[in-house]
Amino acid sequence: MTKRPEEVALMAAAGKLLADVFAQLDRLDLVGMSTMQVNDLVDDFIVNTLGARPASKGQYGYAFALNASRNDVVCHGVPSPADVLQSGDIVNFDITLEKNGYIADSSKTYLVGAVAAPARKLVQVTYEAMWKGIRAVRPGARLGDVGHAIERHARRHGYAVVREYCGHGIGREMHEPPQVLHWGRPQTGLVLREGMVFTIEPMLNAGRSAVHTEDDGWTVRTCDGALSAQFEHTVAVTRSGVRVLTLRAGEKMSG
């Protein structure tokens, strides 16, 4: 589960490219765009501008460069020409990128046009919760510390943490050990050590935590139709703390 320094360096290079993808998304006016249009732009940018590979494409039989999860879709939303983004929506784009054999994974929930205050708050608190988890990462800490920090922040604001999906180790494969739960008890779970690389990617629901998968086998929605938001970064445990390998330009430790 630990990576050599040269491997972490390669993963950081992939992470920097992935941050560039989100910088491109940040420039888009998403209102009126279909999620398939966004997918195609991302696919083209990764392949033809960055000289990298969309790692989700072909993984587990998935055909696209990203997941697009809108409003009550928790995760794994499939891009579609018919899924047109409207002012007031929130939408998460989850993207993986491989370069030189190593994969980076990150996601961001976007506010589309004029978004109501309750949805804006959910998105902000989810972002903060991710950073609470990231700030708990250091050698000698335990995965339960990470999950506890996330869950405590979510509950403080009245949100539910989705338990069916979690973060994961990452490297040459998209999903490696360990599983990184977004809830837990302090001082329990795997002890973190320098060189571990994994994702932290909490999904918070405005209503209940229960989710269901649609008949397409991919799209996961909240059972009660309430909004859901997610953020994700790939992080590495360093000698003294944590390094965010997918950190975006201008982004600072938050939460």
Side-chain angles (χ1 to χ4, degrees), residues 8-206:
V8 175
L10 286 169
M11 295 194 70
K16 171 62 171 63
L17 295 181
L18 186 50
D20 291 343
V21 176
F22 283 96
Q24 292 297 311
L25 289 179
D26 291 346
R27 298 185 180 101
L28 296 178
D29 179 1
L30 294 171
V31 177
M33 291 189 69
S34 74
T35 53
M36 184 63 81
Q37 285 178 299
V38 178
N39 173 82
D40 292 347
L41 287 171
V42 166
D43 195 332
D44 179 74
F45 184 73
I46 290 174
V47 173
N48 295 316
T49 300
L50 301 181
R53 180 179 69 86
S56 67
K57 201 171 180 180
Q59 180 88 355
Y60 310 124
Y62 192 71
F64 305 100
L66 55 74
N67 292 124
S69 302
R70 177 186 178 201
N71 294 334
D72 65 327
V73 178
V74 177
C75 60
H76 303 163
V78 180
S80 167
D83 191 17
V84 178
L85 299 169
Q86 307 291 334
S87 182
D89 286 342
I90 62 173
V91 60
N92 177 272
F93 294 120
D94 189 347
I95 307 169
T96 55
L97 178 151
E98 181 266 319
K99 181 73 173 181
N100 295 322
Y102 288 88
I103 298 172
D105 190 357
S106 187
S107 84
K108 178 178 178 178
T109 297
Y110 284 84
L111 304 172
V112 182
V115 175
R120 297 177 72 91
K121 181 183 176 185
L122 172 66
V123 171
Q124 179 61 33
V125 171
T126 305
Y127 184 68
E128 293 168 357
M130 176 191 67
W131 281 107
K132 293 288 187 184
I134 291 172
R135 289 173 64 181
V137 174
R138 64 184 65 86
R142 305 181 76 159
L143 281 179
D145 301 328
V146 176
H148 176 72
I150 291 168
E151 183 180 35
R152 181 175 58 185
H153 191 69
R155 286 187 169 183
R156 184 177 296 155
H157 291 275
Y159 299 128
V161 177
V162 174
R163 291 181 172 238
E164 283 82 353
Y165 301 93
C166 61
H168 50 87
I170 189 169
R172 287 190 174 274
E173 300 294 332
M174 188 185 301
H175 296 114
E176 299 180 354
Q179 290 190 330
V180 181
L181 305 182
H182 301 121
W183 73 94
R185 292 185 292 114
Q187 300 179 6
T188 65
L190 184 71
V191 177
L192 303 182
R193 57 185 183 269
E194 182 182 1
M196 286 182 171
V197 182
F198 49 84
T199 70
I200 295 176
E201 48 180 297
M203 305 165 199
L204 270 54
N205 293 349

